[in-house]
Amino acid sequence: MSSPKVIVFGPTGGVGLPTAITAAENDAKVYLAMRDPSKPLVHSGTTTTLTESQETSLGFERVKADFSDPSSVESAVRTTGAKRAFIYLLQPTPQANAYTKESIKALKSAGVEFVVFLSSASIAVEDLNSIKPSDVIEYAHAQVELNLEEVFGAGAYAAVRPAYFASNIFWWVNMVKQGEVTTVGPEVRFDWIVSEDIGRVSGKILAQGPSIFDEKTKKSPIYLHGPKIVSFNDAMKILGKVLGKEIKVTSVDLEEAVKAMVEVNGMPEFLARAVLGMVDELAKSGNLEAAGLYTGRYHEEGMKNHELYMGKKSTELEEYLEKIKGTFA
């Protein structure tokens, strides 16, 4: 049997690169769709770069494509002959969703038969149409899933829904270096899932396609959660232990937290407000674990799916922070 041809969009990302590597390790022929094919392959979650020889040994081939440009998407797929694709949402905005739908159509018309989409566990409802546009992150990802359902149909795509990325800790890297972190709701707890784990699951599904699903590995959506629920305060204590320094955490109001996120870390204001606004609401409500995300069947599935797809448990936060501690030096 010949190796399946797959195309990975966003292969320099924290999830995209391990997705591509895992797909190749599972006997897929992998094409890397890149806006700039000369760009180094850097895993943003660990600052690891693939050398040219490593890339060659994995059989990667680069192709120029931009998922915000449907014509380039169609050209890349036709050129490579890829039948499966990994995609993600560039930005959770209405404008981004508009061209994402056109690019999904382009994937289909060019010959892609199965898509793996990096979605979000913030979607914790059955009816995607019930999500309001004001719930920015949930709504944007849900719209892409609805587009995939419309264009490809049930069974021809997998929505991988990870929860809170451990790499989000980079949002505070400049403050950590200074020894004091300001944020809203530092007592709110998250699961801190590692990007490599998400990529390993996504890459295996991409390589095997729909045949991977059985009674245990249920079809889309596929929730993924980290191994422990840890507050922001405790995450900073763990990071401080790894770095051998004390990190002071100061709780501030929403406006001050948004301002710091925008000015110090360069995050777009709409996204900073969406992320920190959710945390602020949780803190004020007293519900310190994101809106039912870590209770019930979604959390149970998210914990089990790592072993079902990877054959091992998800990575502990301390292990991850040890790997990327140089970033905070």
Side-chain angles (χ1 to χ4, degrees), residues 94 136 243 257 327:
V136 178
L243 297 177
T327 307

Side-chain angles (χ1 to χ4, degrees), residues 41-264:
L41 290 181
V42 179
H43 187 312
S44 62
T46 62
T47 65
T48 298
T49 303
L50 274 188
T51 65
E52 187 175 340
S53 62
Q54 288 173 322
E55 189 175 341
T56 300
S57 68
L58 288 166
F60 289 164
E61 289 188 37
R62 301 184 180 203
V63 59
K64 186 175 178 60
D66 182 343
F67 206 70
S68 66
D69 178 4
S71 63
S72 75
V73 172
E74 182 164 3
S75 176
V77 173
R78 290 194 186 280
T79 298
T80 61
K83 298 300 181 184
R84 300 172 193 162
F86 171 83
I87 67 172
Y88 66 105
L89 183 63
L90 299 178
Q91 287 281 4
T93 65
Q95 295 83 0
N97 184 58
Y99 62 64
T100 297
K101 183 171 185 178
E102 293 306 310
S103 292
I104 289 171
K105 291 179 179 178
L107 290 174
K108 178 74 170 179
S109 64
V112 167
E113 299 170 352
F114 180 77
V115 177
V116 178
F117 170 52
L118 178 60
S119 189
S120 171
S122 60
I123 302 174
V125 296
E126 298 293 331
D127 181 10
L128 300 187
N129 287 300
S130 69
I131 300 174
K132 300 176 182 178
S134 57
D135 296 323
V136 178
I137 296 174
E138 299 98 311
Y139 180 80
H141 286 91
Q143 290 303 301
V144 177
E145 291 192 30
L146 289 169
N147 292 335
L148 287 166
E149 179 78 19
E150 177 184 333
V151 175
F152 279 88
Y157 73 93
V160 178
R161 294 182 181 173
Y164 193 83
F165 281 41
S167 59
N168 289 348
I169 206 164
F170 286 126
W171 292 342
W172 291 273
V173 64
N174 292 329
M175 295 182 191
V176 169
K177 289 179 179 179
Q178 296 168 5
E180 181 178 6
V181 170
T182 60
T183 190
V184 64
E187 69 276 17
V188 174
R189 298 187 288 267
F190 296 99
D191 66 300
W192 305 90
I193 187 171
V194 173
S195 299
E196 292 97 328
D197 291 347
I198 304 167
R200 291 185 189 107
V201 173
S202 299
K204 190 165 184 180
I205 295 171
L206 184 65
Q208 296 190 20
S211 65
I212 196 172
F213 300 119
D214 55 28
E215 291 182 0
K216 290 184 178 179
T217 54
K218 297 178 180 179
K219 294 182 179 180
S220 182
I222 299 153
Y223 285 88
L224 295 175
H225 288 180
K228 291 179 183 176
I229 311 303
V230 178
S231 72
F232 184 88
N233 272 328
D234 287 342
M236 284 297 163
K237 288 179 182 178
I238 295 171
L239 178 58
K241 179 182 176 182
V242 168
L243 297 177
K245 63 182 286 186
E246 183 178 350
I247 302 171
K248 182 180 178 182
V249 178
T250 301
S251 180
V252 297
D253 65 26
L254 177 60
E255 293 306 316
E256 188 174 346
V258 169
K259 182 180 179 182
M261 193 67 78
V262 173
E263 294 181 355
V264 179

